[in-house]
């Protein structure tokens, strides 16, 4: 139940949910809302509490950390929110994670024994998500009739958003003509490149190799295949996570039924 | 041999264990977490009516293993891949010595692999030599995420690991199986990172590197490495049981593997007793690639490919003569035990009748 305080209006539940929808499971590149990791949202004035449960108790602590921190930051970015509290349940490291996230500690402070750097893990998974998202964007351009040579040459300045339409015009061959593609796959890709600062200047080439370099037209097919492969990897891991979660839920139900 | 549309497919299960996770053998909490995690994988990807209960799963013993593998001739041979985990289990979880009891009883049916751990230093090198002398091991299974004291893992491209790979080369131990797959609680996910295989494989071109579990959840990194290193192979354990309850995903993963590695470098393994070949072999062989995937990737899961993946490819790595084996199995002890003599004799060429 949301309530009002004298400090100002409480955030709307839908707004909180929308913010959470922006948080992805970094390994699967899917929203934690869509993956049903969010158990509950409580709003009390400017204070928002979120309960999360992941598919297994031993999900990588670094991944669990990223999701919890991102959820906190996304919710706290709403002007009406004073503080967000995240509670992760049924995880082998829930104590460290909940304390760290809610006391604004760094990963290294929350996990003094952990070797490895959460920023590096995040960067690697961001790159994989970018490569997988690029596949869908490039597919849209291929469907619009562009060939490899034209696609590798597209720059940020060549895009023109059409007001009120869910499509984007892309000017190619020195602006000699434009094709129109659906906005969604392109925007989803650009969201990730913006997040990691890969494509920002008007003259920057839109599409990149997994290593972040512009694409040579001769290796276009191979790079595109690697995008597909990145998608298959993520959805395969998603299949394992789903299965493990079902097995866990099944066991919990059985125990409850005994 | 699996009878598939009137054809016979010789099946070598490239990844089996004989483990002991009884409570008496567990000496560290990690040992209990590990077997519980295995059991979650087991139940997740096993048809409900074929699931074991946790007690039989902890220790099933040699007789049951022989029956599960060979009783209905789903598998014809199997390769033991040890998993020591001696920090977790008093006597080890699944050691070469434990496997050897059964392997030496049926040397025609089992291949016995050893292991090494570079953190064991000089003593480890001696142990590897001992395994070579005692059992003439043709391969090793490596577990880079294994805990050893304060260490939570090691890498195949470490200088120390290279010393052991050199020793393998010197002793003629050619097949290096590395677990590069899903995290198993409580092991560290990043210690199963597949990237260290790249440098090891290019530095030791005479050795074969079999990446067990095809790198999942890093299938992309694995395929990209394998596309460049021709001595890198993919072991299907974990991917195979997708055939049973995620057929669309199985089709997609198999299509990727066949596209990146080709049909000669993909190897079947059940991961027994995680999954049981007595149902898994059938699921994999009856699986089909979807129309969309066949068109998209231009690959086929046809009889010729199945024969390679299920047996011929790994037979090449282990110098196994499939036709000679088939003849041996016409009257070996296991065929007698399960009355499989006719099964192995049925397709005998006429010329061999006299």
């Amino acid at each position: 139940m949301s309530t009002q305080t004298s400090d100002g209006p409480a955030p709307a539940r839908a707004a909180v949910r929308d913010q959470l929808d922006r948080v992805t499971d970094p390994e699967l590149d899917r929203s934690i809302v869509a993956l049903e990791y969010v158990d509950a949202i409580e709003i009390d004035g400017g204070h928002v509490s979120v309960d999360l449960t992941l598919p297994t108790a031993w999900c990588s602590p670094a991944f669990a950390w990223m999701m919890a921190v991102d959820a906190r930051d996304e919710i706290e970015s709403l002007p009406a929110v004073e503080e967000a509290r995240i509670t992760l349940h049924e995880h082998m490291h829930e104590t460290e994670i909940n304390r760290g996230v809610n006391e604004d500690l760094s990963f290294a402070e929350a996990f003094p024994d952990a070797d490895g750097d959460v920023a590096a893990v995040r960067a690697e998974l961001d790159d994989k998500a970018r490569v997988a998202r690029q596949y869908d964007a490039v597919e849209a351009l291929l469907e619009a009739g562009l060939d490899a040579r034209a696609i590798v040459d597209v720059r940020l300045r060549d895009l023109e958003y059409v007001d009120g339409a869910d499509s984007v015009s892309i000017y190619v061959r020195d602006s000699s003509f434009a094709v129109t593609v659906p906005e969604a796959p392109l925007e989803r890709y650009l969201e990730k490149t913006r997040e990691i600062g890969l494509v920002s200047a008007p003259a920057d080439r839109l599409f990149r190799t997994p290593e972040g370099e512009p694409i040579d037209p001769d290796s276009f097919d191979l790079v595109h295949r690697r995008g597909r492969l990145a998608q298959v990897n993520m959805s395969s891991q998603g299949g394992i996570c789903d299965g493990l979660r079902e097995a866990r839920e099944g066991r919990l139900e059985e125990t409850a039924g005994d | 041999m699996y009878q598939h549309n009137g054809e016979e497919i010789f099946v070598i299960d490239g990844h089996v264990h004989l483990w002991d996770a009884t409570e008496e053998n567990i000496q560290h909490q990690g040992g209990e977490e590990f077997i519980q995690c295995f059991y979650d994988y087991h139940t997740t990807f096993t048809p409900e009516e074929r699931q074991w209960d946790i007690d039989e799963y902890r220790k099933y013993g040699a007789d049951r293993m022989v029956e599960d593998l060979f009783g209905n001739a789903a598998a014809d041979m199997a390769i033991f891949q040890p998993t020591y985990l001696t920090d977790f289990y008093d006597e080890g979880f699944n050691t070469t010595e434990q496997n050897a009891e059964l392997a030496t009883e049926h040397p025609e049916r089992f291949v016995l692999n050893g292991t090494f751990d570079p953190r064991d230093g000089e003593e480890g090198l001696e142990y590897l030599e001992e395994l070579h002398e005692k059992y003439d091991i043709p391969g090793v299974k490596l577990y880079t995420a294994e805990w050893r004291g304060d260490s939570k893992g090691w890498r195949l491209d470490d200088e120390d690991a290279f010393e052991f790979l050199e020793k393998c080369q010197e002793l003629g131990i050619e097949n290096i199986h590395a677990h590069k797959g899903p995290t198993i609680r409580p092991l560290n996910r990043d210690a199963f990172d597949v990237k260290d295989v790249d440098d090891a494989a290019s530095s030791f071109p005479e050795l074969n590197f079999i990446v067990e579990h095809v790198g999942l959840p890093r299938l992309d990194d694995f395929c990209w490495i394998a596309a460049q290193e021709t001595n890198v192979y993919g072991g299907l354990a974990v991917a195979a049981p997708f055939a049973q309850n995620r057929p669309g995903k199985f089709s997609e993963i198999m299509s990727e593997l066949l596209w990146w590695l080709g049909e000669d470098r993909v190897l079947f393994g059940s991961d027994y007793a995680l999954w049981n070949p007595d149902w898994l072999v059938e699921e994999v062989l009856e699986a089909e690639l979807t129309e969309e995937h066949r068109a998209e990737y231009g690959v086929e899961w046809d009889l010729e490919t199945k024969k390679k993946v299920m047996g011929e490819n790994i037979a090449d790595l282990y110098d196994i003569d499939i036709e000679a084996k088939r003849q041996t199995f016409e009257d070996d002890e296991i065929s007698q035990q399960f009355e499989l003599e006719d099964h192995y004799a049925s397709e005998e060429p006429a010329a061999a009748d006299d």
Side-chain angles (χ1 to χ4, degrees):
Chain A
M1 283 293 287
S2 68
T3 52
Q4 302 276 333
T5 69
S6 56
D7 298 336
R13 176 171 298 270
V16 171
R17 211 182 142 80
D18 282 351
Q19 291 304 108
L20 286 173
D21 197 38
R22 298 166 56 89
V23 178
T24 55
D25 178 325
E27 194 175 38
L28 310 180
D29 192 29
R30 289 177 59 201
S31 146
I32 61 170
V33 174
L35 289 164
E36 298 179 14
Y37 295 173
V38 180
D39 300 327
I41 300 170
E42 296 286 333
I43 300 171
D44 180 6
H47 297 265
V48 177
S49 306
V50 174
D51 294 277
L52 298 176
T53 306
L54 306 180
T56 66
W58 63 91
C59 266
S60 156
F63 297 172
W65 174 266
M66 286 181 227
M67 287 184 256
V69 166
D70 290 354
R72 179 197 67 198
D73 292 350
E74 287 291 349
I75 295 171
E76 287 187 349
S77 75
L78 290 172
V81 174
E82 209 173 297
E83 188 196 37
R85 284 196 73 80
I86 309 297
T87 310
L88 180 67
H89 297 274
E90 291 176 55
H91 191 275
M92 62 190 293
H93 292 298
E94 63 187 43
T95 311
E96 294 95 321
I97 289 171
N98 290 336
R99 177 173 166 262
V101 170
N102 294 317
E103 293 181 13
D104 278 331
L105 305 181
S106 69
F107 183 73
E109 287 165 334
F111 288 94
D113 296 336
D115 42 352
D117 162 16
V118 78
V121 175
R122 188 192 279 276
E124 185 179 336
L125 291 168
D126 273 340
D127 271 332
K128 290 188 177 205
R130 164 179 63 85
V131 170
R133 291 181 184 197
Q134 173 169 293
Y135 180 84
D136 288 337
V138 166
E139 278 291 290
L141 270 63
L142 285 168
E143 260 171 51
L146 294 185
D147 64 9
R149 202 159 287 278
I151 291 172
V152 301
D153 203 38
V154 172
R155 289 154 205 268
L156 198 54
R157 64 176 177 229
D158 299 329
L159 306 190
E160 187 180 274
Y161 289 83
V162 187
D163 278 346
D166 296 330
S167 56
V168 179
S169 296
I170 301 176
Y171 288 88
V172 293
R173 306 251 156 80
D174 298 323
S175 304
S176 57
F177 73 98
V179 296
T180 303
V181 299
E183 185 185 331
L186 205 59
E187 192 42 41
R188 189 169 147 77
Y189 167 66
L190 287 170
E191 180 191 44
K192 198 45 120 178
T193 62
R194 278 196 296 268
E195 211 177 290
I196 60 182
L198 186 67
V199 180
S200 48
D204 282 351
R205 285 177 201 260
L206 222 53
F207 300 113
R208 304 300 179 96
T209 66
E211 292 74 26
E213 300 299 322
I215 303 166
D216 182 294
D218 292 337
S219 59
F220 172 82
D221 286 337
L222 192 61
V223 170
H224 197 44
R225 277 274 154 213
R226 291 178 73 184
R228 179 77 169 104
L229 176 60
Q231 288 190 336
V232 172
N233 178 55
M234 282 176 178
S235 59
S236 304
Q237 185 57 19
I240 291 176
C241 291
D242 278 353
L244 289 171
R245 185 171 53 177
E246 281 166 23
R248 177 157 92 155
E249 282 168 0
R251 231 185 3 264
L252 290 176
E253 276 166 29
E254 242 170 60
T255 317
D258 282 347
Chain B
M1 292 181 289
Y2 188 78
Q3 317 279 340
H4 184 66
N5 301 338
E7 295 271 352
E8 291 185 324
I9 298 177
F10 192 89
V11 176
I12 303 174
D13 188 333
H15 196 139
V16 301
H17 315 102
L18 181 56
W19 69 56
D20 177 1
T22 50
E23 277 157 21
E24 305 81 73
N25 193 28
I26 292 174
Q27 60 174 356
H28 180 288
Q29 187 201 345
E32 181 60 22
E33 290 175 357
F34 189 88
I35 190 65
Q36 292 289 349
C37 181
F38 261 32
Y39 189 64
D40 277 353
Y41 277 97
H42 166 74
T43 53
T44 297
F45 289 103
T46 298
E48 210 167 337
E49 68 279 10
R50 308 306 301 267
Q51 292 177 11
W52 297 9
D53 69 45
I54 183 70
D55 290 326
E56 56 188 331
Y57 199 68
R58 285 181 188 275
K59 187 175 185 181
Y60 37 92
D63 292 344
R64 172 157 192 179
M65 178 167 186
V66 166
E67 183 161 1
D68 283 341
L69 296 181
F70 307 124
N72 66 357
D76 303 292
M77 291 182 68
I79 301 180
F80 271 118
Q81 306 288 4
T83 329
Y84 278 55
L85 298 171
T86 39
D87 273 24
F88 292 171
Y89 299 95
D90 202 16
E91 301 288 324
F93 178 64
N94 161 65
T95 64
T96 308
E97 289 80 3
Q98 289 162 339
N99 295 165
E101 281 186 37
L102 184 52
T104 51
E105 197 182 324
H106 302 288
E108 291 297 337
R109 295 284 186 155
F110 287 106
V111 173
L112 179 66
N113 276 345
T115 193
F116 68 71
D117 188 321
R119 293 169 298 186
D120 295 339
E122 206 52 46
E123 221 174 278
L125 287 168
E126 279 165 29
Y127 181 61
L128 185 60
E129 281 185 2
E130 185 190 315
L131 289 175
H132 167 70
E133 273 161 36
K134 197 166 172 191
Y135 302 117
D136 195 17
I137 51 167
V140 285
K141 166 78 184 300
L142 306 177
Y143 222 61
T144 53
E146 181 161 354
W147 290 7
R148 184 69 44 102
D150 289 338
S151 162
K152 298 286 188 279
W154 56 278
R155 290 179 61 92
L156 264 167
D157 53 5
D158 280 346
E159 211 175 298
D160 293 345
F162 271 32
E163 205 180 321
F164 280 78
L165 291 171
E166 270 161 32
K167 177 63 81 180
C168 285
Q169 193 155 292
E170 180 192 315
L171 298 173
I173 300 169
E174 291 178 355
N175 298 308
I176 314 297
H177 295 254
H179 174 116
K180 293 294 181 183
T183 304
I184 300 151
R185 185 187 184 190
L187 306 179
N188 183 343
R189 173 185 183 274
D190 295 325
F192 283 136
D193 190 346
V194 66
K195 289 199 186 106
D196 55 346
V197 172
D198 197 355
D199 190 19
S202 47
S203 302
F204 294 91
E206 288 159 43
L207 301 178
N208 309 310
F209 289 82
I210 300 100
V211 172
E212 297 295 347
H213 320 299
V214 294
L216 287 164
R218 300 179 180 88
L219 180 71
D220 47 349
D221 297 334
F222 164 67
C223 286
W224 182 238
I225 291 166
Q228 288 154 85
E229 308 293 340
T230 54
N231 57 333
V232 170
Y233 297 74
L236 281 179
V238 175
F242 271 76
Q244 172 261 139
N245 59 354
R246 299 276 193 285
K249 282 314 301 175
F250 176 84
S251 166
E252 200 171 42
I253 294 170
M254 186 60 86
S255 298
E256 288 283 0
L257 290 170
L258 292 172
W259 196 87
W260 288 97
L261 280 79
E263 60 191 34
D264 296 327
R265 288 196 283 143
V266 182
L267 314 171
F268 172 73
S270 70
D271 225 349
Y272 182 86
L274 271 155
W275 299 285
N276 199 333
D278 78 347
W279 60 264
L280 179 61
V281 167
E282 181 174 3
E283 292 288 349
V284 171
L285 284 173
E286 300 301 330
E288 290 177 3
L289 304 188
T290 67
E291 202 68 49
E292 294 77 24
H293 293 150
R294 288 164 63 203
E296 180 185 349
Y297 292 90
V299 298
E300 295 290 340
W301 183 231
D302 54 12
L303 181 69
E304 190 199 355
T305 310
K306 288 173 182 174
K307 281 185 164 175
K308 286 183 170 187
V309 169
M310 301 305 286
E312 290 172 6
N313 291 343
I314 205 159
D316 280 348
L317 298 185
Y318 281 87
D319 296 322
I320 294 168
D321 179 339
I322 288 178
E323 181 50 31
K325 283 289 180 188
R326 196 188 60 75
Q327 290 182 26
T328 304
F329 298 164
E330 283 173 25
D331 65 348
D332 79 334
E333 206 179 311
I334 282 176
S335 290
Q336 289 166 17
Q337 183 184 342
F338 299 109
E339 297 176 359
L340 293 168
E341 298 96 328
D342 291 348
H343 171 81
Y344 285 104
S346 60
E347 287 293 309
E348 191 163 9
D353 273 341
D354 47 27

